[in-house]
Amino acid sequence: MSNSPIRHFLDLTTPGVPAIKAMLAEARRRKDARKGQPKGRVDPDRPLDGHVLASIFEKPSTRTRVSFDMAMRQLGGSTLTLSSSELQLGRGETIADTAQVLSRMVDAIMIRTSAHAKIEELAAYASVPVVNGLTDFNHPCQVMADLLTVEEKLGGVEGTTWAWLGDGNNMTHSIIEAGSLLGFTVRVAVPEGYDPEPAVIEAARKAGGKVELLRDPRAAVEGADVVVTDTWVSMGQADSEAKMAAMMPYQVTAELMALARKEAIFLHCLPAHRDEEATSEVIDGPQSVVFDEAENRLHAQKAVLLWCLGRLNP
Ligand code: CP
Ligand code: NVA
């Protein structure tokens, strides 16, 4: 076995800026190269020929599930999609044992789980790369797709201003992290009591990131290049009338979008709760790129897998 460290993809900071840039460039290149082709056709170089990814889901998923499955097919590999309730993991087998067993049979593991500590433990015991398909703490694979989308639509991310509205959640954390790494400003406008974790903001600022924490959604959106939101109630979170009421002023409406730059785009990782965090008018409107963003999950995930499996450097 090689002595080089295993390339886990649990957040954006660990791979680092050169690797993220290489992944984004690779995603673009492969996306362009297969335009108009059937979606199940394998990329001619078959870079992951013979490789198998095990995808474990402890929460529901449409985009993450399908994008990783199709990513492996297009790269010449294959997948096993497993729900934790069907695994012994759901009956109490430890994460450490699961990690060691799966590592003997597959080439990489992707997991969507709740506590971030679980994916850290899985990665600590796995001898193959572990990819974060969302935890309660972050969602780095989604933000790779978001970065790809902003690059495509606005020509780059550096120097842009992103306005995050609504709940301070896993998506917020990964966007703040991305902003500090790639040089864009993140204005976070959330109601009191729903701030992102202060440690995430602190770490981003320490790394030179520009993060503003605001209460006024209008001030956040004013002159922004990107307006982004997400569900007000993430998977596993408690729903409450009080939370919904607190979030209402942060709903992305056409009126709010009009405060952003004329060329501004609207992002949402989906699934959307239409007419809650954003109106249907915005989601289906001319500035919305949510379905390009969803498609880019596939292209971004291919690059993440190639990086994890050492087919892409740095
Ligand atoms: N955006 C995203 O991760 O979607 P899924 O929950 O459908 O995977
Ligand atoms: N914040 C959302 C993202 C879903 C893709 C959640 O965790 O449910």
Side-chain angles (χ1 to χ4, degrees):
M1 215 167 103
S2 114
N3 287 327
S4 52
I6 301 164
R7 290 182 171 184
H8 300 303
F9 189 84
L10 307 191
D11 53 46
L12 302 171
T13 305
T14 313
V17 176
I20 289 172
K21 288 188 173 168
M23 286 185 245
L24 292 171
E26 179 72 2
R28 255 195 321 276
R29 194 181 68 72
R30 284 190 183 270
K31 180 178 179 179
D32 288 347
R34 57 175 301 123
K35 274 211 168 84
Q37 293 189 20
K39 296 179 181 68
R41 183 168 292 166
V42 181
D43 289 353
D45 57 341
R46 307 183 71 93
L48 295 187
D49 189 28
H51 288 70
V52 179
L53 171 76
S55 296
I56 304 174
F57 288 93
E58 296 201 293
K59 291 178 176 181
S61 164
T62 298
R63 279 141 290 266
T64 304
R65 180 186 306 263
V66 177
S67 63
F68 272 100
D69 205 65
M70 290 308 294
M72 283 303 285
R73 285 186 201 209
Q74 291 188 1
L75 294 169
S78 59
T79 46
L80 292 172
T81 301
L82 312 162
S83 103
S84 62
S85 59
E86 293 156 354
L87 297 175
Q88 297 291 7
L89 188 61
R91 290 185 57 244
E93 185 168 17
T94 66
I95 291 174
D97 288 353
T98 304
Q100 292 174 85
V101 171
L102 290 180
S103 296
R104 301 291 184 105
M105 300 190 200
V106 301
D107 302 288
I109 303 167
M110 191 280 289
I111 184 165
R112 166 166 288 193
T113 188
S114 47
H116 195 71
K118 285 200 205 173
I119 200 169
E120 287 179 330
E121 190 179 352
L122 191 75
Y125 285 93
S127 52
V128 299
V130 172
V131 180
N132 182 348
L134 177 146
T135 69
D136 291 346
F137 176 66
N138 64 359
H139 197 3
C141 283
Q142 175 67 50
V143 173
M144 289 299 289
D146 295 2
L147 294 169
L148 187 60
T149 309
V150 174
E151 281 188 352
E152 282 174 0
K153 303 291 174 186
L154 302 181
V157 295
E158 196 176 341
T160 57
T161 296
W162 296 32
W164 172 272
L165 301 189
D167 190 30
N169 65 13
N170 43 9
M171 278 298 300
T172 329
H173 293 154
S174 287
I175 288 176
I176 292 171
E177 185 185 30
S180 72
L181 293 168
L182 297 175
F184 59 89
T185 300
V186 183
R187 296 182 189 152
V188 177
V190 297
E192 222 171 320
Y194 300 99
D195 289 357
E197 287 190 17
V200 173
I201 298 180
E202 221 170 277
R205 286 184 178 151
K206 219 168 143 187
K210 292 189 204 118
V211 190
E212 300 167 24
L213 186 57
L214 310 165
R215 298 287 171 228
D216 179 0
R218 300 175 73 87
V221 171
E222 188 87 51
D225 301 286
V226 176
V227 179
V228 51
T229 190
D230 185 15
T231 180
W232 290 339
V233 184
S234 285
M235 291 179 276
Q237 279 183 350
D239 197 350
S240 80
E241 276 183 24
K243 183 171 186 184
M244 299 305 266
M247 292 291 159
M248 209 54 213
Y250 298 83
Q251 183 185 62
V252 182
T253 60
E255 191 231 331
L256 206 56
M257 280 304 292
L259 299 174
R261 286 188 56 213
K262 197 162 56 38
E263 308 75 19
I265 55 172
F266 171 73
L267 295 181
H268 188 314
C269 64
L270 306 178
H273 296 71
R274 286 170 172 263
D275 302 309
E276 288 185 11
E277 67 269 12
T279 61
S280 283
E281 191 185 1
V282 169
I283 296 170
D284 300 324
Q287 289 168 292
S288 171
V289 296
V290 300
F291 297 112
D292 292 310
E293 183 186 359
E295 178 189 333
N296 279 339
R297 286 297 302 274
L298 165 60
H299 307 295
Q301 263 61 128
K302 286 170 76 176
V304 168
L305 289 165
L306 288 171
W307 179 79
C308 286
L309 289 162
R311 299 298 189 279
L312 186 64
N313 286 306

